[in-house]
Amino acid sequence: MFQRIAESSVIDGVDIQLDGEICRVPITLSVAAAVLFIKGDADYRRHVDGHARAPFCLMGCCHECLITIDGEPNRRGCLVSVAEGMSIERQLGGSQDDG
Amino acid sequence: MGELCQAEIAIIGAGPAGMAAAIRLTQAGIRPVVFDMGNAPGGQIYRQLDVPVIGETLSGTDYYRGRDLLGDFSRADIDYRPRSQVWWGQCESDGVSLGVVDAAGVSRWHVKRMLLATGSMERSWPFPGWQLPGSMQAGAAQILFKEGGLVPEASPVLAGSGPLLYLLAWQYCRAGCAPQRILDTTPASRYRLPLRYLRGAWQGRHYLVKGARMMLALKRAGVPIHHGVEALEATGKHRVERVHYYWRGHWHHQDTSLVLTHFGVVPEPQLGRAIGIPYDWHEGQQCFLPERNRSLQARTRVWVAGDGGGIGGALNAEREGRLAALSMLTIPTNDVADRKRERRRLEQRRATDLAVRPLLEAMFRLPSHWLSEQPDTTLVCRCECVSLGELRRAIEQGAAGPNQLKAFTRCGMGPCQGRECGESVTRLLSTVQALPPQEIGYYQVRPPVQALSLGELAATATDA
């Protein structure tokens, strides 16, 4: 659903684990951007009401990008840069602890 | 939480205002501490400019203009702390106490003076379906573009009002993914307003010429632009599949998987409100702004600069950062006359630059009754899934103000802490009760103003 344009500069990649699957993504991306890049927005997160939600503002305000990073749930994926070996799990269960 | 950290001056935010203030302070021999939520200096406007991903032909020249500022910032002796969030603050007689959380954990700070340079956020403007995946704010799309050169695979629909909408459309055209159409809620007649604001138009001609060029480029690229769209809706089973728009007396439909909206920007209010700065409704900017004096001071030991104090753009933010720094320098020195001259020059340039604002505000003025005309099912609070209908009923049942409405419905009690619904609630109450927004007010904002993990909360509790 989002793709890299050919004209953008060459960026190093890092390997991250998204729900157990190893994926290579540009190092400049945030976790939220990386998930949008790999999976698109349809299955980013399940909200408390059971409906699908996806990042809305990507600048730390809306909290729609909540995601589990290295085992810690409800982190704002837009504020965390991807890193080599990082483990990311989407919160698709439809529950949400107060974060 | 460990020992108390101290600094002469703390700056919150490293966008143009925070960077310019920090640089100016170092020139006076002060080493400020800068807490930044981002991973690198630049704020939203100059995001990723330290290691740019997109070239100047795609970004436009205004983005690359920030390179000098970034260079000066990286060379100056500044205690820069990226990935740091200020989650708590309190004004005291001898300074400001702050709670900071970063990768190392939570820490407590005491600073003598503080500058809030926390910038703006996209204005939340509810319409049916805005919570569906496939509906994003234009600012988010720009962040993907700057951060990784990411553009939508399928051509998006852009909707809303304001310069950023056209900048994004223009950038997408340059990148080879022209939008399907632009649904502009601004009536076409408004684009003739510069004729009535001649002074502002002349002094802001740079902005107007830039805007006109972008619109012309879009027309040449064959992107349909509909001016005066009056209503908007996104529908789809699990994600956006179609947008519907009311234009020239009829509903129109467009298949799309992505609708990018923009309805202007407003100051990010959380920390300013939490430390007790009074905010006033600004009729021109249609939002609350912190009360500041001419020296950009909001409290005895607190200054506010940049878009967090009122929307003026990146150049204005830079000037305000410098002005605030000058005002924060209280130590008498032998260059007082030089500083006075510097301040006068900055104030003059700022006034010239801001002269275009009343025109831009009039051009892109949003209909204040928009929210009250939406269907009852429209979500207002995205976090707690509170609909417009529930809010209307709670108001009928006697919820008289924003805090009562929050207690009645849980509106504003979710993770975003009311950032996305706060001004909507004010606007709705203002329409229903026929009172000005200033009298309605806003939620009482309390710390933590940034989400803390349970572990971090526990660490702050053991210290208390």
mmCIF file of all heavy atoms in Angstrom, chain A residues 1-5 8-9 28 30 41 47 49 52-53 55-57 59 61 63-64 72 76 81 96, chain B residues 39 48 52-53 58 85 131 133-135 137 147-151 153 239 382-383 415-416 450 453:
data_model
loop_
_atom_site.group_PDB
_atom_site.id
_atom_site.type_symbol
_atom_site.label_atom_id
_atom_site.label_comp_id
_atom_site.label_asym_id
_atom_site.label_seq_id
_atom_site.Cartn_x
_atom_site.Cartn_y
_atom_site.Cartn_z
ATOM 1 N N MET A 1 0.817 -1.214 0.000
ATOM 2 C CA MET A 1 0.000 0.000 0.000
ATOM 3 C C MET A 1 0.849 1.262 0.000
ATOM 4 O O MET A 1 0.491 2.251 -0.598
ATOM 5 C CB MET A 1 -0.941 -0.208 1.125
ATOM 6 C CG MET A 1 -1.257 0.654 2.194
ATOM 7 S SD MET A 1 -2.912 1.175 2.101
ATOM 8 C CE MET A 1 -2.602 2.879 2.191
ATOM 9 N N PHE A 2 2.048 1.214 0.632
ATOM 10 C CA PHE A 2 3.022 2.289 0.433
ATOM 11 C C PHE A 2 4.286 1.693 -0.180
ATOM 12 O O PHE A 2 4.708 0.614 0.189
ATOM 13 C CB PHE A 2 3.368 2.984 1.750
ATOM 14 C CG PHE A 2 2.278 3.889 2.236
ATOM 15 C CD1 PHE A 2 1.311 3.422 3.107
ATOM 16 C CD2 PHE A 2 2.204 5.207 1.799
ATOM 17 C CE1 PHE A 2 0.290 4.255 3.541
ATOM 18 C CE2 PHE A 2 1.188 6.043 2.232
ATOM 19 C CZ PHE A 2 0.227 5.565 3.101
ATOM 20 N N GLN A 3 4.843 2.400 -1.131
ATOM 21 C CA GLN A 3 6.052 1.898 -1.786
ATOM 22 C C GLN A 3 7.116 2.984 -1.789
ATOM 23 O O GLN A 3 6.811 4.168 -1.665
ATOM 24 C CB GLN A 3 5.716 1.485 -3.222
ATOM 25 C CG GLN A 3 5.152 2.655 -4.042
ATOM 26 C CD GLN A 3 4.686 2.244 -5.427
ATOM 27 O OE1 GLN A 3 4.765 1.082 -5.781
ATOM 28 N NE2 GLN A 3 4.206 3.206 -6.196
ATOM 29 N N ARG A 4 8.376 2.555 -1.963
ATOM 30 C CA ARG A 4 9.463 3.531 -2.000
ATOM 31 C C ARG A 4 9.570 4.069 -3.418
ATOM 32 O O ARG A 4 9.487 3.341 -4.393
ATOM 33 C CB ARG A 4 10.785 2.888 -1.611
ATOM 34 C CG ARG A 4 10.845 2.503 -0.150
ATOM 35 C CD ARG A 4 12.279 2.487 0.334
ATOM 36 N NE ARG A 4 12.835 3.816 0.324
ATOM 37 C CZ ARG A 4 14.133 4.085 0.186
ATOM 38 N NH1 ARG A 4 14.988 3.099 0.017
ATOM 39 N NH2 ARG A 4 14.570 5.325 0.199
ATOM 40 N N ILE A 5 9.773 5.386 -3.546
ATOM 41 C CA ILE A 5 9.955 5.942 -4.874
ATOM 42 C C ILE A 5 11.397 5.712 -5.313
ATOM 43 O O ILE A 5 12.316 5.700 -4.496
ATOM 44 C CB ILE A 5 9.629 7.459 -4.923
ATOM 45 C CG1 ILE A 5 10.220 8.174 -3.705
ATOM 46 C CG2 ILE A 5 8.161 7.692 -5.046
ATOM 47 C CD1 ILE A 5 10.190 9.661 -3.836
ATOM 48 N N SER A 8 14.278 8.215 -4.333
ATOM 49 C CA SER A 8 14.759 8.444 -2.970
ATOM 50 C C SER A 8 16.152 7.852 -2.822
ATOM 51 O O SER A 8 16.509 6.892 -3.494
ATOM 52 C CB SER A 8 13.797 7.844 -1.945
ATOM 53 O OG SER A 8 13.578 6.489 -2.216
ATOM 54 N N SER A 9 16.956 8.435 -1.930
ATOM 55 C CA SER A 9 18.349 8.038 -1.812
ATOM 56 C C SER A 9 18.447 6.617 -1.254
ATOM 57 O O SER A 9 17.538 6.116 -0.610
ATOM 58 C CB SER A 9 19.089 9.024 -0.907
ATOM 59 O OG SER A 9 18.476 9.064 0.351
ATOM 60 N N THR A 28 15.713 4.273 8.221
ATOM 61 C CA THR A 28 15.184 5.581 8.626
ATOM 62 C C THR A 28 13.718 5.516 9.080
ATOM 63 O O THR A 28 13.193 6.491 9.599
ATOM 64 C CB THR A 28 15.260 6.580 7.457
ATOM 65 O OG1 THR A 28 14.604 6.001 6.330
ATOM 66 C CG2 THR A 28 16.699 6.914 7.101
ATOM 67 N N SER A 30 10.214 4.676 11.080
ATOM 68 C CA SER A 30 9.707 4.378 12.415
ATOM 69 C C SER A 30 9.060 2.996 12.352
ATOM 70 O O SER A 30 8.819 2.460 11.265
ATOM 71 C CB SER A 30 8.677 5.423 12.834
ATOM 72 O OG SER A 30 7.527 5.310 12.019
ATOM 73 N N ASP A 41 -2.126 -0.928 5.726
ATOM 74 C CA ASP A 41 -2.825 -0.417 6.906
ATOM 75 C C ASP A 41 -4.018 -1.265 7.345
ATOM 76 O O ASP A 41 -4.623 -1.013 8.372
ATOM 77 C CB ASP A 41 -3.270 1.041 6.676
ATOM 78 C CG ASP A 41 -4.166 1.179 5.451
ATOM 79 O OD1 ASP A 41 -4.726 0.153 5.006
ATOM 80 O OD2 ASP A 41 -4.297 2.305 4.940
ATOM 81 N N HIS A 47 -8.830 -2.336 17.526
ATOM 82 C CA HIS A 47 -9.174 -1.393 18.598
ATOM 83 C C HIS A 47 -10.002 -2.081 19.680
ATOM 84 O O HIS A 47 -10.420 -3.225 19.500
ATOM 85 C CB HIS A 47 -9.940 -0.209 17.983
ATOM 86 C CG HIS A 47 -9.987 1.012 18.838
ATOM 87 N ND1 HIS A 47 -8.854 1.596 19.353
ATOM 88 C CD2 HIS A 47 -11.022 1.771 19.266
ATOM 89 C CE1 HIS A 47 -9.210 2.667 20.070
ATOM 90 N NE2 HIS A 47 -10.518 2.792 20.022
ATOM 91 N N ASP A 49 -12.995 -1.766 20.421
ATOM 92 C CA ASP A 49 -14.323 -2.163 19.940
ATOM 93 C C ASP A 49 -14.252 -3.295 18.913
ATOM 94 O O ASP A 49 -15.269 -3.668 18.329
ATOM 95 C CB ASP A 49 -15.050 -0.946 19.333
ATOM 96 C CG ASP A 49 -14.311 -0.361 18.127
ATOM 97 O OD1 ASP A 49 -13.193 -0.849 17.825
ATOM 98 O OD2 ASP A 49 -14.838 0.568 17.497
ATOM 99 N N ALA A 52 -10.774 -2.615 13.059
ATOM 100 C CA ALA A 52 -9.393 -2.348 12.631
ATOM 101 C C ALA A 52 -9.105 -0.856 12.727
ATOM 102 O O ALA A 52 -9.959 -0.017 12.442
ATOM 103 C CB ALA A 52 -9.205 -2.845 11.203
ATOM 104 N N ARG A 53 -7.902 -0.552 13.139
ATOM 105 C CA ARG A 53 -7.414 0.831 13.167
ATOM 106 C C ARG A 53 -5.995 0.870 12.605
ATOM 107 O O ARG A 53 -5.288 -0.145 12.607
ATOM 108 C CB ARG A 53 -7.397 1.382 14.600
ATOM 109 C CG ARG A 53 -8.763 1.657 15.202
ATOM 110 C CD ARG A 53 -9.386 2.933 14.665
ATOM 111 N NE ARG A 53 -10.717 3.149 15.226
ATOM 112 C CZ ARG A 53 -10.951 3.864 16.317
ATOM 113 N NH1 ARG A 53 -9.942 4.416 16.977
ATOM 114 N NH2 ARG A 53 -12.179 4.017 16.769
ATOM 115 N N PRO A 55 -2.403 3.787 11.882
ATOM 116 C CA PRO A 55 -1.845 5.104 12.235
ATOM 117 C C PRO A 55 -2.566 6.235 11.502
ATOM 118 O O PRO A 55 -2.935 6.096 10.337
ATOM 119 C CB PRO A 55 -0.391 5.001 11.761
ATOM 120 C CG PRO A 55 -0.078 3.556 11.829
ATOM 121 C CD PRO A 55 -1.350 2.846 11.456
ATOM 122 N N PHE A 56 -2.776 7.336 12.221
ATOM 123 C CA PHE A 56 -3.540 8.452 11.663
ATOM 124 C C PHE A 56 -2.669 9.704 11.529
ATOM 125 O O PHE A 56 -2.703 10.371 10.512
ATOM 126 C CB PHE A 56 -4.744 8.722 12.574
ATOM 127 C CG PHE A 56 -5.702 9.745 12.060
ATOM 128 C CD1 PHE A 56 -6.347 9.574 10.839
ATOM 129 C CD2 PHE A 56 -6.000 10.879 12.804
ATOM 130 C CE1 PHE A 56 -7.251 10.520 10.363
ATOM 131 C CE2 PHE A 56 -6.908 11.827 12.342
ATOM 132 C CZ PHE A 56 -7.528 11.650 11.120
ATOM 133 N N CYS A 57 -1.878 10.022 12.573
ATOM 134 C CA CYS A 57 -1.106 11.277 12.523
ATOM 135 C C CYS A 57 0.393 11.060 12.353
ATOM 136 O O CYS A 57 1.073 11.916 11.808
ATOM 137 C CB CYS A 57 -1.378 12.126 13.765
ATOM 138 S SG CYS A 57 -0.457 11.648 15.249
ATOM 139 N N MET A 59 2.711 11.462 14.302
ATOM 140 C CA MET A 59 3.590 12.401 14.997
ATOM 141 C C MET A 59 3.345 12.426 16.509
ATOM 142 O O MET A 59 3.542 13.442 17.169
ATOM 143 C CB MET A 59 3.490 13.798 14.389
ATOM 144 C CG MET A 59 2.101 14.373 14.295
ATOM 145 S SD MET A 59 2.106 16.082 13.702
ATOM 146 C CE MET A 59 1.992 15.870 11.927
ATOM 147 N N CYS A 61 0.582 12.081 18.391
ATOM 148 C CA CYS A 61 -0.628 12.639 19.005
ATOM 149 C C CYS A 61 -1.770 11.632 19.137
ATOM 150 O O CYS A 61 -2.344 11.479 20.209
ATOM 151 C CB CYS A 61 -1.114 13.848 18.206
ATOM 152 S SG CYS A 61 0.036 15.227 18.250
ATOM 153 N N HIS A 63 -2.209 8.291 18.957
ATOM 154 C CA HIS A 63 -2.094 6.999 19.641
ATOM 155 C C HIS A 63 -2.809 5.865 18.904
ATOM 156 O O HIS A 63 -3.193 4.879 19.511
ATOM 157 C CB HIS A 63 -2.595 7.089 21.089
ATOM 158 C CG HIS A 63 -1.682 7.890 21.984
ATOM 159 N ND1 HIS A 63 -1.402 9.214 21.758
ATOM 160 C CD2 HIS A 63 -0.983 7.541 23.099
ATOM 161 C CE1 HIS A 63 -0.571 9.648 22.702
ATOM 162 N NE2 HIS A 63 -0.303 8.654 23.517
ATOM 163 N N GLU A 64 -3.009 6.012 17.604
ATOM 164 C CA GLU A 64 -3.623 4.932 16.819
ATOM 165 C C GLU A 64 -2.573 3.886 16.422
ATOM 166 O O GLU A 64 -2.911 2.815 15.953
ATOM 167 C CB GLU A 64 -4.287 5.487 15.551
ATOM 168 C CG GLU A 64 -5.508 6.376 15.803
ATOM 169 C CD GLU A 64 -6.755 5.587 16.184
ATOM 170 O OE1 GLU A 64 -6.669 4.379 16.416
ATOM 171 O OE2 GLU A 64 -7.835 6.217 16.244
ATOM 172 N N GLU A 72 7.168 -5.046 24.892
ATOM 173 C CA GLU A 72 6.432 -4.031 25.655
ATOM 174 C C GLU A 72 5.231 -3.527 24.851
ATOM 175 O O GLU A 72 5.395 -2.960 23.771
ATOM 176 C CB GLU A 72 7.358 -2.863 25.991
ATOM 177 C CG GLU A 72 6.790 -1.964 27.073
ATOM 178 C CD GLU A 72 7.630 -0.714 27.282
ATOM 179 O OE1 GLU A 72 8.872 -0.776 27.157
ATOM 180 O OE2 GLU A 72 7.020 0.342 27.536
ATOM 181 N N ARG A 76 3.962 3.806 21.185
ATOM 182 C CA ARG A 76 3.609 4.552 19.983
ATOM 183 C C ARG A 76 4.636 4.222 18.899
ATOM 184 O O ARG A 76 5.796 4.663 18.977
ATOM 185 C CB ARG A 76 3.605 6.050 20.273
ATOM 186 C CG ARG A 76 2.306 6.556 20.851
ATOM 187 C CD ARG A 76 2.379 8.003 21.239
ATOM 188 N NE ARG A 76 3.060 8.190 22.519
ATOM 189 C CZ ARG A 76 3.296 9.379 23.076
ATOM 190 N NH1 ARG A 76 2.925 10.481 22.460
ATOM 191 N NH2 ARG A 76 3.913 9.476 24.231
ATOM 192 N N SER A 81 12.243 4.361 16.240
ATOM 193 C CA SER A 81 12.891 3.967 14.986
ATOM 194 C C SER A 81 13.122 2.470 14.969
ATOM 195 O O SER A 81 13.362 1.863 16.016
ATOM 196 C CB SER A 81 14.249 4.662 14.853
ATOM 197 O OG SER A 81 14.076 5.994 14.522
ATOM 198 N N GLN A 96 -6.832 -3.869 24.900
ATOM 199 C CA GLN A 96 -5.819 -2.827 25.012
ATOM 200 C C GLN A 96 -5.712 -2.430 26.476
ATOM 201 O O GLN A 96 -6.666 -2.010 27.089
ATOM 202 C CB GLN A 96 -6.262 -1.645 24.146
ATOM 203 C CG GLN A 96 -5.426 -0.417 24.271
ATOM 204 C CD GLN A 96 -6.123 0.723 23.560
ATOM 205 O OE1 GLN A 96 -6.589 0.600 22.427
ATOM 206 N NE2 GLN A 96 -6.233 1.842 24.223
ATOM 207 N N ASN B 39 13.735 11.469 16.992
ATOM 208 C CA ASN B 39 14.997 10.739 16.986
ATOM 209 C C ASN B 39 16.161 11.601 16.525
ATOM 210 O O ASN B 39 17.310 11.231 16.675
ATOM 211 C CB ASN B 39 14.885 9.519 16.062
ATOM 212 C CG ASN B 39 13.908 8.508 16.617
ATOM 213 O OD1 ASN B 39 14.146 7.950 17.671
ATOM 214 N ND2 ASN B 39 12.789 8.315 15.926
ATOM 215 N N GLN B 48 14.034 14.266 9.216
ATOM 216 C CA GLN B 48 14.920 13.445 8.372
ATOM 217 C C GLN B 48 15.893 14.284 7.536
ATOM 218 O O GLN B 48 16.636 13.759 6.716
ATOM 219 C CB GLN B 48 14.077 12.542 7.447
ATOM 220 C CG GLN B 48 14.776 11.309 6.929
ATOM 221 C CD GLN B 48 15.255 10.397 8.026
ATOM 222 O OE1 GLN B 48 14.537 10.072 8.943
ATOM 223 N NE2 GLN B 48 16.523 10.004 7.948
ATOM 224 N N PRO B 52 18.936 13.321 4.554
ATOM 225 C CA PRO B 52 17.730 13.405 3.722
ATOM 226 C C PRO B 52 17.531 12.189 2.829
ATOM 227 O O PRO B 52 18.491 11.627 2.302
ATOM 228 C CB PRO B 52 17.938 14.669 2.885
ATOM 229 C CG PRO B 52 19.317 15.131 3.143
ATOM 230 C CD PRO B 52 19.919 14.349 4.258
ATOM 231 N N VAL B 53 16.283 11.798 2.690
ATOM 232 C CA VAL B 53 15.925 10.642 1.869
ATOM 233 C C VAL B 53 15.381 11.117 0.515
ATOM 234 O O VAL B 53 15.591 10.489 -0.507
ATOM 235 C CB VAL B 53 14.873 9.783 2.613
ATOM 236 C CG1 VAL B 53 14.290 8.723 1.706
ATOM 237 C CG2 VAL B 53 15.501 9.132 3.846
ATOM 238 N N LEU B 58 11.910 16.955 -5.246
ATOM 239 C CA LEU B 58 10.671 16.329 -4.786
ATOM 240 C C LEU B 58 10.092 17.029 -3.565
ATOM 241 O O LEU B 58 8.877 17.167 -3.427
ATOM 242 C CB LEU B 58 10.921 14.854 -4.423
ATOM 243 C CG LEU B 58 11.232 13.905 -5.567
ATOM 244 C CD1 LEU B 58 11.402 12.493 -5.048
ATOM 245 C CD2 LEU B 58 10.120 13.938 -6.603
ATOM 246 N N GLN B 85 10.783 12.373 26.468
ATOM 247 C CA GLN B 85 9.449 12.945 26.585
ATOM 248 C C GLN B 85 9.276 13.572 27.959
ATOM 249 O O GLN B 85 9.599 12.951 28.969
ATOM 250 C CB GLN B 85 8.396 11.849 26.386
ATOM 251 C CG GLN B 85 8.482 11.222 25.005
ATOM 252 C CD GLN B 85 7.498 10.089 24.843
ATOM 253 O OE1 GLN B 85 6.526 9.978 25.598
ATOM 254 N NE2 GLN B 85 7.734 9.235 23.875
ATOM 255 N N GLN B 131 -12.140 7.177 11.109
ATOM 256 C CA GLN B 131 -11.357 6.276 11.948
ATOM 257 C C GLN B 131 -10.952 5.002 11.210
ATOM 258 O O GLN B 131 -10.222 4.181 11.747
ATOM 259 C CB GLN B 131 -12.168 5.914 13.214
ATOM 260 C CG GLN B 131 -13.276 4.890 13.025
ATOM 261 C CD GLN B 131 -14.556 5.496 12.419
ATOM 262 O OE1 GLN B 131 -14.575 6.647 12.006
ATOM 263 N NE2 GLN B 131 -15.612 4.698 12.356
ATOM 264 N N PRO B 133 -9.019 2.381 8.746
ATOM 265 C CA PRO B 133 -7.719 2.284 8.084
ATOM 266 C C PRO B 133 -7.873 2.745 6.632
ATOM 267 O O PRO B 133 -8.860 2.402 5.984
ATOM 268 C CB PRO B 133 -7.390 0.787 8.147
ATOM 269 C CG PRO B 133 -8.171 0.278 9.317
ATOM 270 C CD PRO B 133 -9.442 1.089 9.331
ATOM 271 N N GLY B 134 -6.922 3.519 6.158
ATOM 272 C CA GLY B 134 -7.061 4.087 4.823
ATOM 273 C C GLY B 134 -7.462 5.547 4.885
ATOM 274 O O GLY B 134 -7.550 6.220 3.861
ATOM 275 N N SER B 135 -7.726 6.047 6.096
ATOM 276 C CA SER B 135 -7.947 7.475 6.312
ATOM 277 C C SER B 135 -6.810 7.970 7.192
ATOM 278 O O SER B 135 -6.637 7.507 8.315
ATOM 279 C CB SER B 135 -9.302 7.698 6.990
ATOM 280 O OG SER B 135 -9.306 8.917 7.711
ATOM 281 N N GLN B 137 -4.039 11.519 8.095
ATOM 282 C CA GLN B 137 -3.850 12.952 7.940
ATOM 283 C C GLN B 137 -2.731 13.222 6.941
ATOM 284 O O GLN B 137 -1.792 12.426 6.797
ATOM 285 C CB GLN B 137 -3.559 13.575 9.307
ATOM 286 C CG GLN B 137 -4.814 13.571 10.177
ATOM 287 C CD GLN B 137 -4.574 14.053 11.582
ATOM 288 O OE1 GLN B 137 -3.570 13.745 12.192
ATOM 289 N NE2 GLN B 137 -5.522 14.807 12.119
ATOM 290 N N GLU B 147 10.512 10.427 5.662
ATOM 291 C CA GLU B 147 11.240 9.422 6.443
ATOM 292 C C GLU B 147 11.800 8.296 5.576
ATOM 293 O O GLU B 147 12.882 7.778 5.848
ATOM 294 C CB GLU B 147 10.262 8.821 7.468
ATOM 295 C CG GLU B 147 10.856 8.513 8.805
ATOM 296 C CD GLU B 147 9.769 8.126 9.794
ATOM 297 O OE1 GLU B 147 9.096 7.092 9.587
ATOM 298 O OE2 GLU B 147 9.580 8.867 10.754
ATOM 299 N N GLY B 148 11.072 7.908 4.558
ATOM 300 C CA GLY B 148 11.529 6.758 3.793
ATOM 301 C C GLY B 148 11.288 6.866 2.300
ATOM 302 O O GLY B 148 11.458 5.899 1.567
ATOM 303 N N GLY B 149 10.870 8.042 1.814
ATOM 304 C CA GLY B 149 10.528 8.165 0.403
ATOM 305 C C GLY B 149 9.324 7.294 0.074
ATOM 306 O O GLY B 149 9.211 6.760 -1.028
ATOM 307 N N LEU B 150 8.418 7.137 1.036
ATOM 308 C CA LEU B 150 7.246 6.274 0.831
ATOM 309 C C LEU B 150 6.082 7.066 0.248
ATOM 310 O O LEU B 150 5.768 8.163 0.714
ATOM 311 C CB LEU B 150 6.795 5.639 2.152
ATOM 312 C CG LEU B 150 7.766 4.704 2.868
ATOM 313 C CD1 LEU B 150 7.086 4.073 4.085
ATOM 314 C CD2 LEU B 150 8.269 3.607 1.938
ATOM 315 N N VAL B 151 5.473 6.521 -0.786
ATOM 316 C CA VAL B 151 4.281 7.126 -1.396
ATOM 317 C C VAL B 151 3.220 6.034 -1.553
ATOM 318 O O VAL B 151 3.553 4.849 -1.565
ATOM 319 C CB VAL B 151 4.600 7.744 -2.785
ATOM 320 C CG1 VAL B 151 5.561 8.907 -2.648
ATOM 321 C CG2 VAL B 151 5.148 6.698 -3.735
ATOM 322 N N GLU B 153 0.768 3.316 -3.062
ATOM 323 C CA GLU B 153 0.826 2.481 -4.274
ATOM 324 C C GLU B 153 -0.298 2.843 -5.225
ATOM 325 O O GLU B 153 -0.113 2.928 -6.428
ATOM 326 C CB GLU B 153 0.705 1.005 -3.879
ATOM 327 C CG GLU B 153 2.056 0.319 -3.736
ATOM 328 C CD GLU B 153 1.927 -1.047 -3.087
ATOM 329 O OE1 GLU B 153 0.829 -1.650 -3.157
ATOM 330 O OE2 GLU B 153 2.913 -1.482 -2.503
ATOM 331 N N ARG B 239 -11.974 -1.242 5.942
ATOM 332 C CA ARG B 239 -11.040 -0.176 5.606
ATOM 333 C C ARG B 239 -11.717 0.755 4.604
ATOM 334 O O ARG B 239 -12.817 0.460 4.146
ATOM 335 C CB ARG B 239 -9.768 -0.762 4.994
ATOM 336 C CG ARG B 239 -10.037 -1.685 3.775
ATOM 337 C CD ARG B 239 -8.823 -1.808 2.901
ATOM 338 N NE ARG B 239 -8.369 -0.488 2.531
ATOM 339 C CZ ARG B 239 -7.227 0.065 2.953
ATOM 340 N NH1 ARG B 239 -6.423 -0.597 3.722
ATOM 341 N NH2 ARG B 239 -6.910 1.288 2.595
ATOM 342 N N ARG B 382 -11.946 9.078 19.194
ATOM 343 C CA ARG B 382 -11.521 7.854 18.515
ATOM 344 C C ARG B 382 -11.112 6.793 19.523
ATOM 345 O O ARG B 382 -11.374 5.606 19.315
ATOM 346 C CB ARG B 382 -10.363 8.155 17.573
ATOM 347 C CG ARG B 382 -10.663 9.218 16.533
ATOM 348 C CD ARG B 382 -9.383 9.690 15.839
ATOM 349 N NE ARG B 382 -8.700 8.594 15.185
ATOM 350 C CZ ARG B 382 -8.711 8.387 13.863
ATOM 351 N NH1 ARG B 382 -9.362 9.200 13.067
ATOM 352 N NH2 ARG B 382 -8.060 7.375 13.350
ATOM 353 N N CYS B 383 -10.437 7.209 20.598
ATOM 354 C CA CYS B 383 -9.900 6.251 21.576
ATOM 355 C C CYS B 383 -11.012 5.475 22.270
ATOM 356 O O CYS B 383 -10.988 4.252 22.347
ATOM 357 C CB CYS B 383 -9.060 6.965 22.624
ATOM 358 S SG CYS B 383 -7.600 7.808 21.980
ATOM 359 N N PRO B 415 -6.076 6.808 25.453
ATOM 360 C CA PRO B 415 -4.623 7.009 25.388
ATOM 361 C C PRO B 415 -4.186 8.378 24.847
ATOM 362 O O PRO B 415 -3.172 8.899 25.286
ATOM 363 C CB PRO B 415 -4.150 5.893 24.448
ATOM 364 C CG PRO B 415 -5.214 4.868 24.490
ATOM 365 C CD PRO B 415 -6.500 5.588 24.772
ATOM 366 N N CYS B 416 -4.924 8.979 23.926
ATOM 367 C CA CYS B 416 -4.450 10.246 23.355
ATOM 368 C C CYS B 416 -4.738 11.420 24.282
ATOM 369 O O CYS B 416 -4.306 12.541 24.022
ATOM 370 C CB CYS B 416 -5.005 10.507 21.955
ATOM 371 S SG CYS B 416 -6.505 11.498 21.903
ATOM 372 N N GLN B 450 2.399 12.501 28.705
ATOM 373 C CA GLN B 450 2.864 11.510 27.738
ATOM 374 C C GLN B 450 2.596 10.142 28.347
ATOM 375 O O GLN B 450 2.702 9.976 29.562
ATOM 376 C CB GLN B 450 4.373 11.662 27.459
ATOM 377 C CG GLN B 450 4.766 12.996 26.860
ATOM 378 C CD GLN B 450 4.268 13.164 25.418
ATOM 379 O OE1 GLN B 450 3.891 12.198 24.762
ATOM 380 N NE2 GLN B 450 4.270 14.399 24.956
ATOM 381 N N SER B 453 4.824 3.689 30.523
ATOM 382 C CA SER B 453 4.573 2.263 30.718
ATOM 383 C C SER B 453 4.381 2.020 32.213
ATOM 384 O O SER B 453 4.703 2.864 33.046
ATOM 385 C CB SER B 453 5.746 1.445 30.194
ATOM 386 O OG SER B 453 6.842 1.584 31.070
#
